[in-house]
Amino acid sequence: MRNFAQDPAIEKENEVRGLLARWRAWTESFVPEEAKLDPEKLRISHLLIGFGFIGPVFGVLYALFYYQIGHSTAATIIVFCSLCFASMPLFLKKSGDPRFSGDLFSAVLIVGFTALAGLEGGARGHAVAWLATVPLCALLLTRFQRALFWSILTMLVVLGFSVMEMTGRHLPYDYPEELHGIITSVGFAGLTVFLFSVGLIYERTRKNAMAAKQEALDALQEAHDELVRLNQEKDEFLGIAAHDLKNPLTAVQAYAGLIEQSAGPQAAETKEMAERIGEAAERMSSIVGNVLDVNAIEQGKFPIRAGRYDLADLVQKCLRSYEHAAESKKIAFHRELETVPAWVDQEASGQVIDNLVSNALKYSPSGRRVWISTREEDSRALLQVRDEGPGMSPEDRAKLFQRFMKLTARPTGGESSTGLGLSIVKKIVEAMDGQIGCESELGQGCIFWVKLPLAKSREAASGF
């Protein structure tokens, strides 16, 4: 059996991969830490580092060529620019500002190419063509406004050389004129290779950026999937726990009722304690019911069986169950109920009305009034519940229908509040294709309104 670990080709490939990995790690060390947190700055940093390594290679080759043909002044300019390019990665790391480093790089390009063009006949030389690369490099390495500045400056330089040429003021060559052809040929060949290298650097940077983006998206998707899974587990746990609590609570309520009924006149204390047990169990049962409703709504399992129901009748049924509670707080109900056949779920809409009426009683001081009205408005069935409670601030209104939110106002009769009721009501109303809202100011009470579909509209749409 062949041992691939000993295969020279594989060993060579692994060695090359190791070298490339070390090279990438070394070049990456020049990227400022703050730039790693900003995709745009990271892109510019990678481009600057790439130019910082390729620029000196071009510079050295051109400098050797120019020294060889005796064009020493141009060779010196190229060596100076090459040193600037070679130091760019170090300057980038030290300054920590990729855009400033990009401005510096663009400035070196303009100065260097302008000087070369001045030595090589102005518009008649090839160095003017190299100036055309400055706007491209500036766009890749700086902000748009700064790139526009460098582009305009480059155009002015090129325009200056063109005007001199058109007016007959020819700049001399700083090399023997018979070498003009070969210098121009070498210059344009180098320009072609340079532009190709810029494209390669940009493409590599783009691919790295896309790979990093995809990696981040994959990590985000994994985190999202994990959160969805955990949320489902939470919902299942809450549903199971709340459902399992219902039976013991029902038993507690039943036994509290038996104790209360069996206690004789001499056992007044026992009777009072039984009443308290029953009240506590009832509150716990309400909380469990709310949790089950939230769980069902979140999982899309809250059944809506809509049909034609008179909204005024539904309100009357609800108010009858709250007459005792209203009398105990000396709160008067004012009914303004018009017959409005709505297209709703009977049980769900009853839960909505129950919550709004109970809240009005809960937060109203003793001796106040609560108005309940139903009517048709704007082709919708409108329910309004208005109280004379403390009202709400803008901050409270902003978080009114959120889950587990405790508002500034407190119940006036020691009633309990879980912070779930209105959030459940909102989802139920929306499930019935309705809308809910509240109008309130501090000290002016609250007006809760619910708009629901009319039965005639739904029946007409379905062809009944």
Side-chain angles (χ1 to χ4, degrees):
M1 188 173 179
R2 186 178 180 187
N3 186 358
F4 287 96
Q6 304 299 322
D7 192 317
I10 293 178
E11 289 184 355
K12 186 67 175 177
E13 182 180 351
N14 290 336
E15 183 179 346
V16 171
R17 287 181 177 176
L19 288 172
L20 288 175
R22 286 193 291 272
W23 169 260
R24 291 193 192 98
W26 181 64
T27 56
E28 197 69 19
S29 67
F30 292 105
V31 178
E33 289 300 321
E34 54 269 29
K36 294 178 181 179
L37 304 175
D38 186 330
E40 180 63 12
K41 290 184 178 181
L42 182 62
R43 179 190 68 80
I44 294 174
S45 297
H46 285 153
L47 285 172
L48 281 167
I49 293 168
F51 284 135
F53 288 117
I54 288 183
V57 173
F58 273 90
V60 167
L61 293 176
Y62 266 97
L64 290 174
F65 171 70
Y66 278 160
Y67 276 126
Q68 185 67 30
I69 65 173
H71 195 11
S72 57
T73 305
T76 303
I77 292 172
I78 292 174
V79 168
F80 171 76
C81 293
S82 298
L83 290 174
C84 291
F85 297 151
S87 63
M88 198 60 64
L90 290 172
F91 181 80
L92 169 66
K93 184 176 182 179
K94 187 174 180 61
S95 69
D97 188 351
R99 291 192 176 99
F100 179 73
S101 301
D103 284 330
L104 183 62
F105 187 91
S106 301
V108 171
L109 286 178
I110 285 184
V111 171
F113 293 149
T114 301
L116 284 176
L119 292 173
E120 298 182 353
R124 293 177 294 162
H126 74 278
V128 171
W130 281 81
L131 275 167
T133 65
V134 175
L136 172 63
C137 293
L139 277 171
L140 293 175
L141 299 175
T142 65
R143 296 181 295 271
F144 176 77
Q145 293 85 351
R146 300 297 298 172
L148 186 62
F149 167 78
W150 294 119
S151 299
I152 292 173
L153 187 59
T154 302
M155 286 188 285
L156 290 175
V157 172
V158 172
L159 182 62
F161 284 126
S162 301
V163 170
M164 292 178 67
E165 184 67 23
M166 288 186 291
T167 56
R169 287 176 285 181
H170 304 301
L171 291 174
Y173 299 122
D174 193 47
Y175 50 79
E177 191 165 349
E178 60 270 18
L179 296 177
H180 179 70
I182 187 171
I183 289 176
T184 300
S185 300
V186 171
F188 282 120
L191 178 60
T192 303
V193 175
F194 175 75
L195 290 175
F196 178 72
S197 301
V198 169
L200 284 179
I201 294 172
Y202 177 77
E203 181 62 14
R204 177 177 175 274
T205 304
R206 187 191 67 82
K207 285 184 176 180
N208 289 340
M210 293 299 294
K213 179 181 178 181
Q214 188 59 48
E215 184 178 344
L217 288 174
D218 291 342
L220 185 62
Q221 185 62 46
E222 288 181 10
H224 174 266
D225 293 342
E226 179 67 10
L227 287 173
V228 169
R229 184 186 66 79
L230 292 173
N231 188 59
Q232 289 174 342
E233 288 184 0
K234 179 266 295 179
D235 288 341
E236 291 173 3
F237 170 76
L238 283 176
I240 292 170
H243 187 271
D244 289 347
L245 281 171
K246 287 192 73 176
N247 291 336
L249 281 172
T250 302
V252 170
Q253 286 177 289
Y255 284 124
L258 287 173
I259 293 172
E260 185 179 349
Q261 291 173 8
S262 62
Q266 71 281 7
E269 186 177 348
T270 302
K271 188 174 181 180
E272 182 182 352
M273 292 179 67
E275 287 179 356
R276 291 182 181 178
I277 292 172
E279 290 171 359
E282 186 176 350
R283 287 198 296 270
M284 292 176 66
S285 181
S286 175
I287 293 171
V288 169
N290 283 338
V291 171
L292 286 172
D293 286 342
V294 169
N295 194 48
I297 291 170
E298 293 292 340
Q299 294 185 359
K301 297 178 180 178
F302 194 88
I304 296 295
R305 301 178 182 88
R308 170 187 278 264
Y309 293 96
D310 182 10
L311 196 56
D313 285 345
L314 296 175
V315 171
Q316 288 283 28
K317 290 177 184 178
C318 174
L319 293 182
R320 282 196 290 270
S321 65
Y322 279 100
E323 285 176 353
H324 178 71
E327 288 175 4
S328 65
K329 292 187 72 172
K330 296 181 175 58
I331 293 175
F333 285 135
H334 288 263
R335 298 168 174 85
E336 299 173 0
L337 305 177
E338 297 179 10
T339 298
V340 186
W343 192 259
V344 294
D345 181 289
Q346 183 180 18
E347 184 177 345
S349 56
Q351 190 170 347
V352 170
I353 299 167
D354 181 271
N355 190 281
L356 296 181
V357 171
S358 67
N359 274 353
L361 290 175
K362 186 184 299 183
Y363 292 99
S364 293
S366 178
R368 300 297 177 87
R369 295 167 294 179
V370 172
W371 286 264
I372 305 99
S373 66
T374 58
R375 66 178 182 272
E376 182 180 331
E377 183 176 285
D378 298 329
S379 300
R380 305 282 278 181
L382 176 65
L383 164 70
Q384 283 189 327
V385 178
R386 179 164 66 93
D387 62 52
E388 294 181 325
M392 283 183 286
S393 65
E395 293 75 18
D396 278 346
R397 290 202 305 273
K399 55 186 180 183
L400 183 60
F401 295 102
Q402 299 177 29
R403 290 189 298 174
F404 304 110
M405 285 295 174
K406 296 296 184 70
L407 307 182
T408 305
R410 310 308 313 157
T412 57
E415 299 94 338
S416 64
S417 175
T418 62
L420 281 171
L422 287 175
S423 67
I424 294 173
V425 165
K426 185 174 189 294
K427 292 201 176 281
I428 292 175
V429 170
E430 290 174 347
M432 294 190 293
D433 194 24
Q435 298 171 297
I436 186 171
C438 177
E439 300 170 10
S440 179
E441 294 182 11
L442 278 175
Q444 301 297 318
C446 295
I447 301 176
F448 280 90
W449 54 264
V450 177
K451 295 180 179 179
L452 296 165
L454 288 172
K456 61 183 180 182
S457 300
R458 291 305 168 93
E459 289 168 349
S462 59
F464 289 116

